[in-house]
């Protein structure tokens, strides 16, 4: 095989038919043979050779990817392959298993056999027994889960995610909002919400924010990332961003906040909104706001560079600031503050239009230098 002993990542594109036959022969002669001792990442697709690829795993393997949204796995074949991996690669730390159509309980039974498993990515139905079983895998610290409505078995009882520190939930906003109040996750520090398309009304997102702010894990959260992609509605008066986020303003310990607003979000942004946010989150180290091209239905006044003064004054630990949809210009009455010790090093600004002309370049440069004197300059 081509440099086989040095391969660190392997997928089905690696082996030719001749190499496949060679591996099958060697494994038949010695079931415990180690052909790729340095292999760390193994990707399996639902093809006929899947068990043979599994025999290439060794104790150095730390990541298993069996994600497939195109092909369907034969459940019996997959179970046999996973049993091979339990024997040959007991030190797996990462499992990605979305799109496999494998029964959730069977996957968790398999995952629980790896005592060093730290990260798990999977699909699951809205099922109290399944999520409770998932919470019982004590080694898992990072969980990425797609929640489906199919096979719903929900009873609102508590679900303990005792050791989960990072949780990513994808699915219908209303479904995720249903789960949040039941989660008991005392160590949860990072939460990311990814909606399934543009299926939910903006009110569903407001309910989700309320449930997050009153959840069992609200005080332990340090990072919150939410994509807000509601379905289109007839033009309505936009809601100020600070008003929309009001339920979460009590989470003053948040250090990383990222918001992704699509073009249909009836939310306006202004200097006043960012003054409120900066005051509410004094511990911020990273703030990101991304939004689609501003729709004609949102006649808001976009924030200007003067908005940055609120973050400089109220967020002394801020290291990274990204704002999409900001004018690069200064109001005539904007002062140039002196913040010589501010630690911010990364600043990304972009407007919602294709071009972003900078007016009064020298004045803008002096303003930024006075505000964030430690910015890293990319000269590329």
């Amino acid at each position: 095989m081509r440099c086989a002993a040095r391969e660190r990542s392997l997928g089905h594109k690696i082996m030719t038919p001749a190499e496949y036959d060679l591996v099958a022969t060697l494994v038949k002669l010695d079931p415990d043979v180690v052909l790729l001792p340095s292999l760390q990442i193994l990707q399996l697709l639902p093809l006929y050779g899947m068990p043979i690829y599994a025999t290439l795993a060794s104790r150095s393997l730390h990541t298993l990817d069996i994600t497939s949204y195109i092909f369907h796995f034969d459940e019996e074949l997959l179970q046999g392959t996973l049993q091979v991996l339990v024997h040959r690669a007991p030190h797996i730390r990462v499992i990605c298993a979305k799109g496999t159509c494998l029964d959730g309980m069977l996957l968790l039974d398999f995952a629980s056999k790896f005592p060093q498993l730290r990260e798990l990515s999977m699909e699951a139905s809205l099922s109290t027994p399944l999520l409770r079983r998932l919470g019982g895998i004590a080694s898992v610290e990072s969980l990425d889960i797609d929640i489906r409505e199919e096979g719903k078995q929900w009873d609102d009882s508590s679900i303990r995610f005792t050791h989960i520190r990072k949780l990513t939930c994808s699915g219908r906003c209303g479904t995720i909002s249903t789960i949040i109040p039941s989660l008991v996750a005392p160590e949860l520090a990072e939460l990311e919400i990814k909606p399934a398309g543009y299926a939910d009304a903006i009110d569903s997102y407001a309910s989700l924010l309320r449930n997050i702010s009153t959840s069992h894990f609200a005080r332990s959260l340090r990072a919150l990332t939410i994509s807000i992609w509601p379905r289109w509605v007839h033009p309505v008066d936009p809601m100020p961003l600070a008003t929309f986020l009001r339920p979460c303003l009590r989470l003053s310990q948040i250090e990383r906040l990222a918001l992704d607003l699509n073009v249909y979000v009836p939310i306006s942004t202004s200097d006043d909104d960012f003054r409120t946010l900066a005051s509410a989150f004094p511990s911020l180290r990273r703030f990101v706001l991304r939004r689609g091209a501003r729709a004609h239905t949102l006649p808001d006044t976009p924030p200007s560079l003067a908005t940055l003064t609120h973050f400089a004054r109220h967020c002394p630990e801020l290291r990274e600031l990204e704002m999409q949809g900001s004018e690069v210009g200064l109001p005539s009455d904007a002062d140039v503050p002196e913040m010589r010790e501010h630690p911010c090093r990364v600043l990304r600004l972009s407007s919602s239009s294709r071009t972003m002309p900078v007016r009064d370049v020298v004045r803008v440069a002096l303003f930024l230098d006075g505000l964030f004197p430690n910015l890293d300059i990319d000269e590329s």
Side-chain angles (χ1 to χ4, degrees):
M1 296 178 66
R2 300 182 301 275
C3 301
R6 296 193 298 273
E7 291 288 356
R8 293 180 178 272
S9 179
L10 183 66
H12 269 79
K13 63 182 180 181
I14 298 296
M15 280 201 287
T16 65
E19 290 171 340
Y20 176 88
D21 291 340
L22 175 60
V23 171
T25 300
L26 292 174
V27 171
K28 185 176 181 179
L29 293 173
D30 181 3
D32 295 321
V33 66
V34 178
L35 298 175
L36 298 180
S38 299
L39 186 65
Q40 298 178 4
I41 302 173
L42 178 63
Q43 180 187 18
L44 296 178
L45 294 178
L47 304 178
Y48 73 97
M50 190 165 58
I52 290 297
Y53 275 83
T55 62
L56 295 173
S58 66
R59 299 178 70 85
S60 64
L61 189 73
H62 61 65
T63 298
L64 172 64
D65 186 353
I66 53 175
T67 296
S68 175
Y69 292 103
I70 300 177
F71 303 102
H72 291 288
F73 282 91
D74 178 274
E75 188 168 299
E76 184 177 349
L77 182 63
L78 181 57
Q79 287 190 62
T81 302
L82 297 181
Q83 289 301 323
V84 173
L85 290 171
V86 170
H87 170 69
R88 298 185 68 95
H91 302 307
I92 286 178
R93 299 195 299 271
V94 180
I95 295 178
C96 304
K98 291 187 178 182
T100 63
C101 296
L102 183 66
D103 179 79
M105 285 295 190
L106 289 177
L107 177 61
L108 293 180
D109 287 343
F110 164 70
S112 65
K113 297 177 181 179
F114 295 98
Q116 297 182 30
L117 185 64
R118 296 293 181 268
E119 300 179 25
L120 177 61
S121 175
M122 64 176 290
E123 295 176 338
S125 58
L126 183 59
S127 165
T128 299
L130 189 147
L131 293 178
R132 189 169 288 134
R133 175 74 177 87
L134 178 56
I137 304 179
S139 64
V140 174
E141 299 176 349
S142 178
L143 176 62
D144 182 348
I145 185 169
D146 288 359
I147 303 293
R148 304 188 305 263
E149 288 284 351
E150 295 85 356
K152 182 175 180 180
Q153 301 179 50
W154 192 250
D155 60 17
D156 293 329
S157 59
S158 295
I159 297 171
R160 298 193 65 84
F161 280 3
T162 307
H163 303 286
I164 298 294
R165 295 186 55 80
K166 180 179 180 181
L167 176 62
T168 301
C169 287
S170 305
R172 292 289 299 270
C173 180
T175 302
I176 298 172
S177 185
T178 298
I179 295 173
I180 294 297
S182 297
L183 292 183
V184 179
E187 296 187 17
L188 187 63
E190 300 181 46
L191 177 63
E192 181 174 2
I193 305 296
K194 297 179 179 180
Y198 305 99
D200 296 289
I202 189 65
D203 291 345
S204 296
Y205 289 91
S207 176
L208 173 63
L209 293 177
R210 287 194 297 270
N211 285 346
I212 291 174
S213 68
T214 58
S215 64
H216 295 286
F217 53 81
R219 303 311 305 177
S220 67
L221 272 186
R222 294 297 181 270
L224 179 61
T225 299
I226 301 182
S227 297
I228 302 172
W229 303 343
R231 63 173 177 263
W232 183 87
V233 294
H234 290 290
V236 296
D237 292 334
M239 179 187 302
L241 178 63
T243 301
F244 179 72
L245 294 176
R246 183 175 295 160
C248 291
L249 297 183
R250 69 184 69 182
L251 306 179
S252 59
Q253 80 282 358
I254 291 291
E255 298 176 0
R256 299 185 300 280
L257 178 62
L259 305 170
D260 184 1
L261 313 180
N262 79 353
V263 66
Y264 300 128
V265 178
I267 294 175
S268 63
T269 54
S270 67
D271 285 343
D272 289 340
D273 290 305
F274 292 109
R275 181 188 298 110
T276 300
L277 293 184
S279 300
F281 301 116
S283 300
L284 273 183
R285 299 174 66 88
R286 179 176 186 264
F287 177 74
V288 176
L289 173 67
R290 300 188 181 101
R291 62 180 310 177
R294 184 168 284 106
H296 68 278
T297 57
L298 300 181
D300 59 325
T301 302
S304 69
L305 280 178
T307 293
L308 303 181
T309 61
H310 307 315
F311 290 98
R313 288 169 175 158
H314 296 290
C315 306
E317 300 299 322
L318 190 67
R319 300 301 200 272
E320 181 179 348
L321 179 60
E322 178 179 341
M323 295 177 61
Q324 187 182 91
S326 302
E327 290 184 345
V328 179
L330 287 173
S332 58
D333 59 347
D335 60 343
V336 180
E338 294 291 337
M339 306 289 292
R340 297 194 180 280
E341 301 302 322
H342 201 285
C344 185
R345 289 188 172 275
V346 179
L347 176 64
R348 299 186 184 94
L349 301 174
S350 62
S351 75
S352 53
S353 60
R354 289 191 175 183
T355 60
M356 185 174 61
V358 178
R359 301 184 299 274
D360 199 349
V361 176
V362 174
R363 189 162 173 260
V364 167
L366 290 173
F367 176 85
L368 292 177
D369 186 59
L371 197 65
F372 299 129
N374 295 307
L375 284 179
D376 291 331
I377 305 299
D378 185 357
E379 298 181 352
S380 60

